[in-house]
């Protein structure tokens, strides 16, 4: 299958976040693309993953985006989700409003906390997620506003503040990880059609850029079929990634 | 034996300066009819403890909140709450901002009459920086782990909305998630339950299994029957969120003139007037 879209590359990259995770809950709360990625991983190489229908049901099978679980294999109301954070059998994908070079993130507010310039959500589950669970991030629009030298409020802790594991950041341009001696953000791969310079220009701090930056793998034929025909026939993934 | 009250009676039993817990979660099964009753009362200067949604927004818009204790304020399908944002950005409310799990431990501590519960959550984050009153504690066991001592979220009053209740105050949820409503009820000195429908005690079993009886009358001071009383948040399976009305609310909240019109149309009368105005609006916008 050709004419692979950027959103499909991103979704496959999000699926890859869960490689090796085993029998844990994939909590992809950041949007359609990581949600699709987690279900795609379960439908292909990570069948032991647990996924939800977006509500409190753990679905017996990965369900299409926007659908609800026909068969539930478990119940995960908010209180048990919060228990699971402490228990640790969970890998969460969140969406940061700001992220720095060590993976500290902010979803709380922009500006001075006492009287913010822009109030956002509040810290939500960010402090617990990042301290106790493997955490990844999804950024649909990679920009210097998001990738910033210093976040205004640390709602998700980074590698330099005791994070359990900040695994990777998938954006509309690239995949970034922290596979460096001092856990500073590194460019792991650029999506097909994206240049290294596009990524560094859209990043507000110095990224670690290896001499050779590979291209993010495209989804294979089976993955494309599952995304297009089974898990996201309405193409919700395309709405989330800027053209 | 009957604890049945009106929304007005609940609001009249509150005093300015109280700490009020509000159940539900975001824009889900919020006791909105009771919040609207507070808006019609003179009660103000409240400390509100909640997983915040449009309940917080409405109280902010009316200037009733002095301090908010929360982990987030969201309307779920609309992520950001405009009145809450405005209140924060103008500095008109004080904020105690916890992680969602810390907040739950604060509820558990209060429900169990403990002064605090320990959790590692919060360490490393700016939650400790913006809440300088939070203290840490070291495990007395071999691990010696440093933990945050989340103080009990004690409340004078809790307000929750359930699907069914009986006149004595036993209350039942029928949706997929209890949220933390039982913890709010156990944590507060007084709890008021509004419900979609009052039923005879013997009829609970027709509605759901025994484990859906979330709240015991031992924790409940008053019961209010408020059909559609969670509107415009959801109250599954009785009704889903009124997304169109929530959108109208959010759009109106973003502009003072439109907000005045919204208030005038929907919030200037009693609960029956609200429900009527919503019905008429729905007819007009079919």
């Amino acid at each position: 299958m050709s004419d692979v879209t950027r959103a499909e590359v991103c979704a496959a990259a999000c699926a890859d976040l869960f490689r090796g995770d085993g029998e844990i809950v994939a909590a992809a709360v950041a949007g359609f693309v990581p949600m699709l990625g987690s279900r795609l991983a379960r439908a292909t190489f990570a069948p032991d993953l647990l996924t939800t229908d977006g509500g409190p049901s753990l679905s017996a099978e990965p369900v299409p985006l926007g659908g609800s679980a026909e068969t539930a294999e478990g119940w995960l109301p908010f209180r048990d989700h919060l228990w699971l954070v402490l228990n640790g059998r969970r890998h969460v994908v969140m969406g940061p409003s700001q992220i720095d070079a060590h993976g500290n993130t902010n979803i709380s507010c922009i500006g001075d906390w006492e009287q913010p310039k822009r109030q956002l959500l509040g810290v939500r589950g960010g402090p617990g997620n990042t301290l106790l669970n493997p955490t990844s991030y999804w950024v649909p629009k990679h920009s210097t506003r998001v990738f910033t030298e210093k976040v205004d409020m640390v709602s998700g802790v980074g590698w330099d503040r005791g994070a359990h594991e900040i695994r990777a950041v998938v954006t509309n341009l690239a995949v970034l990880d922290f596979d460096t001696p001092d856990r500073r953000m590194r460019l792991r791969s650029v999506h097909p059609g994206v240049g290294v310079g596009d990524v560094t220009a859209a990043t507000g701090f110095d990224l670690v850029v290896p001499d050779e930056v590979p291209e993010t793998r495209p989804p294979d034929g089976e993955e494309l079929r599952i995304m297009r025909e089974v898990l996201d026939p309405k193409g919700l993934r395309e709405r989330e990634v800027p053209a | 034996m009957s604890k049945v009250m009106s929304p007005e009676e609940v609001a009249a039993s509150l005093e300015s300066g109280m700490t009020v817990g509000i159940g539900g979660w975001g824009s889900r099964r919020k006791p909105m009819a009771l919040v609207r009753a507070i808006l019609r009362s003179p009660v103000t200067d409240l400390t509100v403890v909640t997983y915040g949604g449009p309940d917080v927004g409405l109280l902010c818009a009316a200037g009733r909140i002095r301090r908010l204790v929360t982990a987030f304020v969201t309307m779920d399908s609309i992520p950001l709450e405009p009145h809450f944002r405005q209140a924060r950005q103008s500095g008109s409310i004080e904020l105690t901002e916890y992680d969602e799990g810390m907040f739950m431990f604060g509820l558990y501590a209060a429900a169990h009459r403990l002064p605090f519960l320990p959790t590692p959550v919060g360490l490393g984050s700016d939650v400790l920086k913006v809440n300088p009153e939070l203290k840490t504690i070291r495990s007395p066991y071999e691990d010696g782990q440093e933990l945050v001592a989340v103080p009990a979220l004690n409340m004078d009053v809790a307000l929750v909305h359930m699907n069914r209740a009986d006149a004595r105050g036993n209350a039942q949820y029928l949706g997929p998630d209890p949220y933390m409503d039982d913890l709010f009820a156990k944590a507060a000195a007084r709890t008021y339950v509004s419900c979609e429908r009052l039923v005879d005690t013997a009829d609970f079993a027709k509605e759901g299994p025994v484990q859906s009886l979330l709240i015991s009358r031992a924790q409940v001071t008053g019961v209010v029957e408020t059909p559609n009383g969670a509107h415009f948040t959801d109250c599954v399976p009785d009704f889903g969120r009124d997304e169109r009305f929530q959108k109208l609310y959010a759009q109106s909240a973003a502009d003072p003139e439109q907000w005045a019109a919204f208030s005038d149309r929907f919030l200037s009368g009693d609960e029956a007037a609200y429900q009527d105005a919503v019905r008429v609006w729905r007819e007009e916008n079919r």
Side-chain angles (χ1 to χ4, degrees), chain A residues 145-168:
Chain A
R145 264 175 49 165
V146 178
F147 288 79
T148 180
E149 196 70 53
K150 190 175 182 311
V151 305
D152 292 340
M153 164 134 184
V154 178
S155 52
V157 299
W159 278 109
D160 58 343
R161 282 174 169 254
H164 174 79
E165 179 193 359
I166 309 299
R167 188 165 297 173

Side-chain angles (χ1 to χ4, degrees), chain B:
Chain B
M1 215 147 69
S2 172
K3 295 175 186 167
V4 176
M5 303 171 70
S6 68
E8 279 66 29
E9 287 170 323
V10 171
S13 81
L14 307 187
E15 289 162 35
S16 293
M18 275 187 166
T19 297
V20 178
I22 303 179
W25 175 288
S27 190
R28 303 164 199 237
R29 201 156 47 72
K30 284 285 179 177
M32 297 297 276
L34 298 183
V35 170
R36 288 186 283 267
I38 292 176
L39 298 182
R40 296 191 297 272
S41 82
V43 170
T44 191
D45 196 34
L46 298 174
T47 293
V48 171
V49 178
T50 190
Y51 288 104
D55 51 335
V56 169
L58 281 170
L59 291 167
C60 282
R64 306 303 178 88
I65 300 183
R66 181 178 65 77
R67 173 175 291 278
L68 177 67
V69 183
T70 196
F72 57 77
V73 181
T74 181
M75 298 197 292
D76 296 298
S77 55
I78 300 172
L80 304 178
E81 217 299 338
H83 286 311
F84 165 66
R85 301 189 78 190
Q86 182 50 37
R88 279 282 286 148
Q89 290 165 197
S90 66
S92 65
I93 60 167
E94 295 171 44
L95 182 64
T96 298
E97 185 172 352
Y98 287 172
D99 166 274
E100 292 172 15
M102 292 174 70
F103 187 102
M104 182 173 74
F105 272 28
L107 294 179
Y108 271 120
H112 292 86
R113 303 287 181 259
L114 292 167
F116 68 90
L117 276 173
T119 176
V121 174
L123 295 175
S125 79
D126 279 347
V127 166
L128 294 188
K129 189 176 108 184
V130 302
N131 295 293
E133 78 286 358
L134 282 178
K135 296 193 185 333
T136 60
I137 186 167
R138 200 162 285 284
S139 164
Y141 297 105
E142 246 174 68
D143 60 285
Q145 200 185 345
E146 191 190 24
L147 300 155
V148 179
V150 182
L153 287 172
N154 296 310
M155 300 161 222
D156 297 306
V157 169
L159 309 174
V160 301
H161 185 76
M162 303 286 281
N163 299 92
R164 306 284 177 268
D166 68 11
R168 297 199 292 184
N170 298 298
Q172 184 176 38
Y173 81 107
L174 300 172
D177 198 317
Y179 310 122
M180 307 295 172
D181 287 0
D182 51 331
L183 301 181
F184 277 97
K186 288 169 179 163
R190 283 192 278 142
T191 294
Y192 296 99
V193 177
S194 59
C195 66
E196 284 303 307
R197 186 146 54 81
L198 276 174
V199 294
D200 289 335
T201 309
D203 288 341
F204 279 134
K206 295 179 193 163
E207 304 279 346
V210 71
Q211 61 267 36
S212 64
L213 291 166
L214 189 67
I215 297 175
S216 157
R217 62 188 168 85
Q219 273 92 43
V220 175
T221 299
V223 187
V224 189
E225 187 175 42
T226 56
N228 210 33
H231 183 269
F232 49 91
T233 70
D234 74 23
C235 188
V236 177
D238 292 312
F239 51 88
R241 187 178 303 132
D242 189 342
E243 296 287 2
R244 293 171 72 202
F245 192 88
Q246 172 159 292
K247 203 167 161 192
L248 174 74
Y249 165 83
Q251 283 167 349
S252 305
D255 174 81
E257 243 172 70
Q258 284 185 52
W259 181 248
F262 181 97
S263 293
D264 195 48
R265 179 165 187 184
F266 297 105
L267 302 174
S268 59
D270 63 8
E271 180 64 16
Y274 172 83
Q275 296 292 350
D276 280 344
V278 169
R279 256 190 300 275
V280 170
W281 179 82
R282 275 186 179 159
E283 287 293 314
E284 286 173 9
N285 291 277
R286 259 212 299 225

Side-chain angles (χ1 to χ4, degrees), chain A residues 105-173:
Chain A
T105 54
N106 176 22
I107 55 169
S108 178
C109 64
I110 302 296
D112 181 25
W113 182 87
E114 292 292 336
Q115 188 175 340
K117 200 161 69 185
R118 281 196 301 134
Q119 174 65 41
L120 305 173
L121 283 168
V123 295
R124 292 221 66 153
N129 289 343
T130 48
L131 192 72
L132 300 165
N133 298 171
T135 302
S136 298
Y137 290 101
W138 161 241
V139 179
K141 193 170 189 300
H142 194 134
S143 77
T144 52
R145 264 175 49 165
V146 178
F147 288 79
T148 180
E149 196 70 53
K150 190 175 182 311
V151 305
D152 292 340
M153 164 134 184
V154 178
S155 52
V157 299
W159 278 109
D160 58 343
R161 282 174 169 254
H164 174 79
E165 179 193 359
I166 309 299
R167 188 165 297 173
V169 184
V170 176
T171 80
N172 61 316
L173 301 180

